[in-house]
Amino acid sequence: MSTNNPKNSFEPNGRSAVASYVATLSADLAALARRSGLDTIGYLLEMVRLEAESAARQGGPVVRR
C-alpha cells in the first residue's frame, strides 16, 4: 500500500490527514494574523480552517479545477 496516494484517508498522507493538518495550521495562522491586526486575513484563515475541518470529517471532497 502506497503512502503517497492522497485519495486514501486511512493512510498518513491521505486526504483526511492533510485536511486536518491544514485546519491546524490555518487556525494558528489566523490567531497570529489577528494578534498582528490583520483581521481580514485572520477571517479568511478561519474560513480555511472551517472548510478543512469539514473536508477532514467527510474524507475530503474531490474538487477538480
Side-chain angles (χ1 to χ4, degrees):
M1 194 183 302
S2 171
T3 59
N4 293 330
N5 182 357
K7 294 180 182 177
N8 189 340
S9 63
F10 298 107
E11 295 179 6
N13 293 329
R15 294 177 65 82
S16 291
V18 171
S20 181
Y21 181 64
V22 168
T24 299
L25 286 178
S26 59
D28 291 344
L29 289 171
L32 180 64
R34 288 204 163 134
R35 280 195 307 266
S36 299
L38 301 167
D39 294 333
T40 301
I41 293 173
Y43 170 79
L44 292 172
L45 286 164
E46 281 297 320
M47 296 301 103
V48 170
R49 179 189 60 81
L50 292 171
E51 189 65 27
E53 287 174 349
S54 175
R57 282 192 301 275
Q58 298 171 5
V62 177
V63 176
R64 301 218 194 301
R65 294 183 186 198

